[in-house]
């Protein structure tokens, strides 16, 4: 057999090996995360529910889904183990980054310009004034006709 005939099969087997190897690494990392769960940590289930771990058994976990409400879940149903800051931010709405920093981003840009909203500040009117614009256009047309030295009435056309 020729080596070029076997090359596509070798590449295919190599790609399958690499894909299964990365999948096994992900499964091992997820299993390690589930084994590292301790009572009191916050978790997110694969269904998207946030809860606090109360007890950890071999294949199951007792979760407190609400104050006084406990449920038993399989360890495989835990999607992520969250650190305390992230769990409190998501579940309780605590934003420690904002509290520690003390800065608040404004909803509009008015506070960024440094100007106050005083009544004495002259405001620019950006509205279009139709009457002044029409009068200016008529003056420009008259000036062009005067420059040519001719005045045409409606219906006449240039013939050159």
């Amino acid at each position: 057999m020729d080596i070029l005939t076997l090359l596509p099969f070798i590449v295919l087997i190599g790609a399958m090996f690499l894909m299964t190897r990365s999948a096994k690494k992900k499964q091992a990392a997820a299993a390690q995360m589930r084994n590292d769960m301790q009572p009191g940590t916050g978790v997110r289930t694969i269904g998207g529910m946030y809860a606090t771990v109360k007890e950890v058994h071999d294949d199951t976990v007792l979760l407190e889904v609400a104050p006084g409400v406990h449920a038993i879940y399989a360890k495989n149903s835990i999607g992520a183990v969250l650190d305390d800051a992230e769990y409190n931010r998501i579940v309780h709405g605590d934003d420690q980054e904002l509290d520690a920093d003390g800065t608040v981003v404004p909803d509009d840009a008015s506070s960024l310009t440094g100007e106050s909203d005083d009544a004495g500040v002259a405001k620019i009117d950006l509205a279009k004034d139709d009457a002044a614009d029409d009068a200016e256009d008529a003056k420009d047309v008259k000036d062009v006709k005067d420059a040519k030295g001719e005045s045409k009435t409606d219906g006449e056309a240039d013939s050159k």
Side-chain angles (χ1 to χ4, degrees), residues 86-107:
E86 183 179 6
Y87 180 77
N88 288 332
R89 182 184 59 82
I90 293 170
V91 175
H92 303 296
D94 296 343
D95 197 2
Q96 293 176 354
E97 295 171 3
L98 184 63
D99 295 339
D101 203 19
T103 58
V104 176
V105 178
D107 291 339

